[in-house]
Amino acid sequence: MAEKSYHCQLCNCTLYGMKEFDLHCNGKKHKSNEKHGNEQEDAKRKIYVRGLEGITNPRDFLFKYFCNFGSLNDIKIGGNQGSSFAVVEFCEREPVARCLKMKHMIGGQCLYVKSYKNRTPTSGVSRMAHQKLEQDEKTKQAATTSHAMDILLSAASLTDQINLLAACLKLDAADEKARVQICQELTKLLSPLFEHCKICQFGSSVNGFG
């Protein structure tokens, strides 16, 4: 008689038999996905707040203000005195939506409120894929270096070597596009911490030497 199958929606996998299902639920992968799911759910009850410069006791200041929107679970203060920020956690998700729709001015102090985004952990499979990509890139770089050396050794003068090296390492359209995208992603990542920041290419990241 075939054992009954059980489907784990969290991990999107099918297990056969209660014993196998129990082992899966107590396993590392399931626990990791469960933790990540809880963290993502918690993030929906949080807001990210900047504009606390000059406030003597920001935690009390924020508590007195944001308790008007709903019950608070916790307030964490980060950064330094010159550029501090806070993560305000409500007990429910509804107050977050209300906070994000409003502009927050308190006694002439402007608070910048954004949704809180939790970092997504890298799975074991993703790490392995990333390591393979890194290894492939190293192999590619080694081949490129060897090819460049052959070309340079064939040059008649130092000037020719410099020109050949520049031509050999010149970025193609795909590389240029990729580096622009990296700058854009870094700008998005750092904007919550440093307002109006913009990451730009500079030096060797532009000419292909880096």
Side-chain angles (χ1 to χ4, degrees), residues 52-131:
L52 306 176
E53 293 76 12
I55 298 175
T56 306
N57 193 332
R59 196 173 189 281
D60 288 350
F61 176 85
L62 293 173
F63 183 86
K64 290 176 183 177
Y65 177 71
F66 284 109
C67 69
N68 296 306
F69 291 86
S71 299
L72 293 168
N73 188 45
D74 192 17
I75 296 177
K76 289 185 171 64
I77 307 297
N80 52 52
Q81 193 171 7
S83 179
S84 59
F85 64 89
V87 176
V88 178
E89 181 181 354
F90 291 94
C91 295
E92 305 291 338
R93 292 167 57 176
E94 288 75 13
V96 172
R98 292 199 296 272
C99 289
L100 295 175
K101 290 178 181 178
M102 294 178 57
K103 289 186 177 181
H104 302 272
M105 289 287 296
I106 314 171
Q109 186 89 6
C110 180
L111 299 181
Y112 300 94
V113 177
K114 296 183 179 181
S115 58
Y116 178 84
K117 295 182 180 180
N118 202 34
R119 292 184 63 185
T120 303
T122 304
S123 67
V125 175
S126 297
R127 281 195 297 271
M128 289 175 64
H130 182 68
Q131 289 170 357

Side-chain angles (χ1 to χ4, degrees), residues 124-194:
V125 175
S126 297
R127 281 195 297 271
M128 289 175 64
H130 182 68
Q131 289 170 357
K132 186 178 186 306
L133 284 173
E134 283 187 335
Q135 186 59 46
D136 290 346
E137 184 62 26
K138 287 179 181 178
T139 303
K140 180 182 176 182
Q141 287 178 354
T144 302
T145 301
S146 177
H147 178 62
M149 286 299 297
D150 290 340
I151 293 175
L152 292 177
L153 290 172
S154 67
S157 66
L158 179 59
T159 301
D160 289 342
Q161 284 184 330
I162 293 173
N163 290 333
L164 285 169
L165 182 61
C168 186
L169 298 179
K170 184 180 179 181
L171 299 177
D172 58 24
D175 283 332
E176 289 178 354
K177 183 178 179 181
R179 295 185 184 211
V180 169
Q181 289 177 337
I182 289 171
C183 289
Q184 291 172 344
E185 290 300 318
L186 286 172
T187 299
K188 288 179 184 178
L189 182 66
L190 295 174
S191 290
L193 299 175
F194 306 98

Side-chain angles (χ1 to χ4, degrees), residues 30-41:
H30 183 85
K31 293 291 185 183
S32 176
N33 288 339
E34 191 174 48
K35 180 183 177 182
H36 176 51
N38 292 336
E39 289 174 348
Q40 292 297 95
E41 189 60 33

Side-chain angles (χ1 to χ4, degrees), residues 198-209:
K198 184 178 180 181
I199 307 300
C200 302
Q201 289 177 256
F202 180 78
S204 60
S205 68
V206 179
N207 57 32
F209 281 77

